Amino acid sequence: MLTYLEARDKIRSMVKQLPVEHVPLAQSLNRVLAHPIFADRDYPPFNRAAMDGIAIRMDDWNNGIREFRIRDTIFAGMETPTTIAAGECYKIMTGAACPREADTIIRKEDLIYTPNETALILGETVSRGQHLAQQAEDLKKSELAVTAPRVCDISLTGTLAALGIHLVPVYKMPTVGIVTTGNEVVEIQQQPTHFQIRNSNQYLLLALCEQWQLPIRSCQHVSDEPKALSAALKQATQQQLILINGGVSAGDADHVPQILRELGVEILFHKVSIKPGKPLLVGFLPEGKIIFALPGNPLSCFMTFKLFVEEYLHGCLGFTNERFQKVRLAVPRSKKSSLDEFFPVFRHPEEYGYTWKPHHGSGDITATVGCDGIGWHVHNKQEITKNDTIPVLSLHPFFNII
């Protein structure tokens, strides 16, 4: 049986770069930028006034001139005048292009406009280039503006628009087929009998896929009857990423491993020395499709998706950063097993750090409610003492991605 790190490395070995598609900027939010973006021109493209006021030559100020004749007014979007004589100024608005020979802006709060069409400077201190954004001080033409891969978050949208990127090159996410299994599982709107449960994992997987903007092409529940299960799995394998829930343990009704083999799936590994999630199975088809058969208990399903499915997607999108971050655990934790244990953690309400709370095993449907991440209690450490630093995986799939 593989350790967690061995299983993770096998997942990484299956990573393949996703194809690229171009989507309208308005549809790019939370997609992953596939190509770096370069400046199409200087930014700013001209010397730009950062304040309403007047544009002067600093040499005139240094020569003792304090009252300037207003030659004209320049508004944003107007063509820039090219000359300015000694003792002259231009009245200028924020965002307007400053005449090349004028190198300093005096804001209007520091001026008196006289009836004689002059501007009198009140302040005693002026510095060359003040309140003036210099051409190309942000970006030079052809300079790298945005690195990739990068999540197209809200802060990036305006930048891409300013750069003229109306069609954004993003990675095309793999299509997904979901199959949940179990004779005891019923639809969520159905009233279960005493020995049945609602299909919560189907909606958990749908939500996790939505967070990654994965296109769901098929989603069905099937009983543990081998013929029906085989038909459902065969249909799901038409997609590029197949998520199966349940039927991978060692019980008499756990037919998934055998049926996958019959369908031509090569098993990468089955079972990992982790808790929860030990029965996890990962396989692939010759054409490169990958299959994750996740355990049926809710906490196990959640954990194995976050640990392994997201590891695969993370790599396919070209990200190389470490997914776990070191944080302080504000309360102690102990374990008896020799496995890597993963558990929900919560931000401590009173001080910096995280805490955790006991739950009732991998079937506990409320174990992750309100949690902020997944803590990792490594296999060779039985005790975590108060304020120890531990690895924590954020619930946000793109946390700490630059």
Side-chain angles (χ1 to χ4, degrees):
M1 184 163 37
L2 299 180
T3 66
Y4 164 65
L5 290 178
E6 289 170 339
R8 186 192 66 179
D9 288 345
K10 282 190 173 289
I11 294 293
R12 289 178 175 178
S13 74
M14 298 301 296
V15 162
K16 58 180 181 179
Q17 189 176 49
L18 296 171
V20 176
E21 62 180 349
H22 289 77
V23 301
L25 178 60
Q27 299 173 19
S28 67
L29 186 63
N30 293 330
R31 298 294 298 271
V32 176
L33 186 69
H35 297 155
I37 305 297
F38 297 87
D40 61 321
R41 60 176 182 166
D42 290 343
Y43 288 89
F46 45 79
N47 291 342
R48 183 182 63 207
M51 292 277 187
D52 292 341
I54 61 171
I56 68 169
R57 301 188 313 179
M58 188 65 189
D59 287 346
D60 288 344
W61 170 271
N62 290 336
N63 289 331
I65 299 175
R66 297 296 182 265
E67 186 171 357
F68 292 79
R69 182 172 61 85
I70 299 173
R71 181 168 174 176
D72 203 348
T73 300
I74 307 172
F75 295 92
M78 287 178 56
E79 187 174 351
T80 312
T82 56
T83 61
I84 181 171
E88 288 185 338
C89 71
Y90 283 91
K91 195 173 181 181
I92 195 164
M93 304 297 125
T94 302
C98 187
R100 181 66 62 181
E101 294 179 7
D103 56 7
T104 301
I105 304 294
I106 310 299
R107 60 180 189 166
K108 68 178 183 179
E109 292 89 339
D110 299 324
L111 298 169
I112 292 178
Y113 294 115
T114 74
N116 299 322
E117 296 296 316
T118 64
L120 178 64
I121 299 175
L122 301 177
E124 295 297 326
T125 303
V126 174
S127 57
R128 190 184 300 273
Q130 68 179 26
H131 309 312
L132 185 64
Q134 299 290 334
Q135 180 174 340
E137 71 176 14
D138 297 335
L139 288 168
K140 292 181 174 62
K141 184 178 179 179
S142 302
E143 185 179 351
L144 177 64
V146 182
T147 59
R150 177 180 290 272
V151 180
C152 296
D153 57 15
I154 292 171
S155 63
L156 184 58
T157 299
T159 299
L160 292 177
L163 291 165
I165 308 300
H166 61 283
L167 290 176
V168 185
V170 296
Y171 284 114
K172 186 176 182 179
M173 300 302 286
T175 60
V176 178
I178 297 175
V179 177
T180 58
T181 71
N183 294 333
E184 78 283 14
V185 178
V186 299
E187 292 297 323
I188 63 169
Q189 67 270 26
Q190 184 175 335
Q191 182 60 46
T193 65
H194 188 62
F195 299 105
Q196 292 177 322
I197 59 173
R198 295 186 178 94
N199 194 356
S200 61
N201 283 345
Q202 184 180 85
Y203 288 85
L204 170 63
L205 290 173
L206 287 170
L208 289 164
C209 289
E210 176 67 22
Q211 192 177 33
W212 280 85
Q213 299 201 357
L214 293 165
I216 309 298
R217 293 291 181 261
S218 68
C219 181
Q220 60 179 311
H221 180 76
V222 65
S223 69
D224 288 319
E225 192 277 316
K227 187 175 181 180
L229 186 56
S230 179
L233 294 181
K234 184 176 181 179
Q235 180 182 345
T237 56
Q238 301 305 305
Q239 308 310 320
Q240 297 160 319
L241 171 61
I242 299 93
L243 303 176
I244 306 165
N245 183 242
V248 290
S249 297
D252 292 343
D254 294 323
H255 304 297
V256 167
Q258 180 57 36
I259 292 173
L260 288 176
R261 290 186 179 93
E262 292 170 0
L263 292 174
V265 174
E266 183 172 340
I267 306 303
L268 187 65
F269 61 83
H270 186 193
K271 298 185 179 178
V272 186
S273 56
I274 61 173
K275 181 180 179 181
K278 182 178 177 182
L280 173 72
L281 180 150
V282 178
F284 60 94
L285 286 163
E287 59 268 37
K289 299 174 180 179
I290 191 163
I291 298 95
F292 291 88
L294 313 177
N297 280 323
L299 186 58
S300 298
C301 178
F302 176 81
M303 291 291 186
T304 49
F305 186 99
K306 299 296 291 184
L307 293 172
F308 297 100
V309 180
E310 290 192 359
E311 184 70 35
Y312 174 74
L313 294 170
H314 187 264
C316 289
L317 291 166
F319 293 117
T320 58
N321 63 296
E322 174 54 50
R323 296 174 65 223
F324 280 87
Q325 303 299 305
K326 296 290 188 179
V327 304
R328 187 170 63 85
L329 194 65
V331 291
R333 186 181 192 273
S334 62
K335 68 182 182 73
K336 297 179 180 179
S337 77
S338 59
L339 308 177
D340 285 296
E341 292 190 3
F342 297 91
F343 57 97
V345 293
F346 306 79
R347 287 193 179 92
H348 198 285
E350 297 176 357
E351 57 180 305
Y352 174 75
Y354 286 71
T355 186
W356 68 282
K357 61 184 180 181
H359 55 78
H360 301 101
S362 59
D364 190 334
I365 63 171
T366 65
T368 60
V369 173
C371 78
D372 298 292
I374 297 171
W376 178 6
H377 194 154
V378 295
H379 67 279
N380 58 355
K381 185 175 183 179
Q382 300 304 113
E383 303 287 336
I384 300 173
T385 58
K386 181 179 179 179
N387 294 328
D388 270 0
T389 297
I390 67 166
V392 165
L393 179 63
S394 171
L395 294 191
H396 192 292
F398 300 125
F399 177 77
N400 200 42
I401 286 176
I402 299 175

